[in-house]
Amino acid sequence: AELLGRPVTLADDVAGPGAPPVVEATARGEVAMLQNVRFEAAETSSDDAERGRFADRLAGLADRYVDDAFGAIHRRHASVYDVATRLPAYAGTLVLRELAVLRGLQAPERPYAVVLGGAKVSDKLAVIEALLPRVDRLLVGGAMCFTFLVAQGRSVGTSRVEPAMVDACVDLLRRAGDRLSLPSDVVVGTALSADTATEVVSVGAIPDGMMGLDVGPATAAEFAAALSGARTVFWNGPMGVFEIPAFAAGTRRVAEAIASLDGTTVVGGGDSAAAVRQLGVDETAFSHISTGGGASLEFLEGRTLPGLAVLDAGPAR
């Protein structure tokens, strides 16, 4: 109501007995809001019929459907997918803006650099496979880097590793050659906690019993230097456990390096967007901060996004 400068009536349920009277009493130009769709178990059900029954109730309240929730558009949920099959359905302005930016990455201005972090290689393998033929530089940090380091034959102490992904990392390293950069040093600790003792070590000297929790200062400087000439950058995933101040410096340095560039800089939502805000990096310095980490990755992988596939051509009107 504060944002719109007009009253907003809130129903006391999602699409139960309380919703229709609220909607029916809403005049043209007025706004009514239903309760959170996640309060209905059917919203995320894997049973098509169960989702469909819920979608029928939602669709019965409207004449048209507009999806402006890019962060959920890769989900086959009732309010994202099924309702759109029952009404004239359109993309909202935020969804259109997200798509325009991500489509621009399919023909980027070069040099094109991609920075990937986060916990698991398995979460990013498909996007690495999709982007590898297109990128000039691929910088890998976060916990996922340790599986790559194991693939290089390095000992990584108790750092997080996905043994089942080591062979895939060996293959990626072979195909990427010198386009793929890994950390040269890391900040290690004995436990994932704010009060653990820390030290900076080279990736070839991680002590037994210690785990890597952030890229080190040398790596952060190397990554910043590698990004300095880039005209297009896509970044998804922090360089370390940025929520803990002792392990936030690597993510901050890389974020600031990307923010300082003159070209197109896209932050792929999720933890990366959260890091920008938590670490106080100027959000306006980036060309675009996505509202959907998973959705942006799946789009770049080339997957069909269920919520997008069912929308009619053209923006909402």
Side-chain angles (χ1 to χ4, degrees), residues 269-283:
D271 286 341
S272 308
V276 167
R277 295 175 179 117
Q278 181 172 319
L279 299 177
V281 182
D282 182 7
E283 295 181 42

Side-chain angles (χ1 to χ4, degrees), residues 158 186-200 207-214 241 243-248:
T158 58
V186 290
V187 181
V188 298
T190 56
L192 180 53
S193 67
D195 57 0
T196 186
T198 66
E199 61 179 302
V200 178
D208 292 339
M210 301 195 83
M211 64 179 71
L213 296 167
D214 190 17
V241 188
E243 297 90 345
I244 298 175
F247 309 116

Side-chain angles (χ1 to χ4, degrees), residues 141-188:
M144 64 184 287
C145 77
F146 296 108
T147 303
F148 280 95
L149 292 170
V150 169
Q152 289 183 327
R154 299 180 186 273
S155 175
V156 296
T158 58
S159 304
R160 183 169 186 168
V161 172
E162 292 181 276
M165 301 303 299
V166 171
D167 288 345
C169 289
V170 169
D171 179 59
L172 287 170
L173 288 166
R174 176 188 60 79
R175 288 189 284 137
D178 60 8
R179 289 181 297 148
L180 194 156
S181 297
L182 295 171
S184 60
D185 67 340
V186 290
V187 181
V188 298

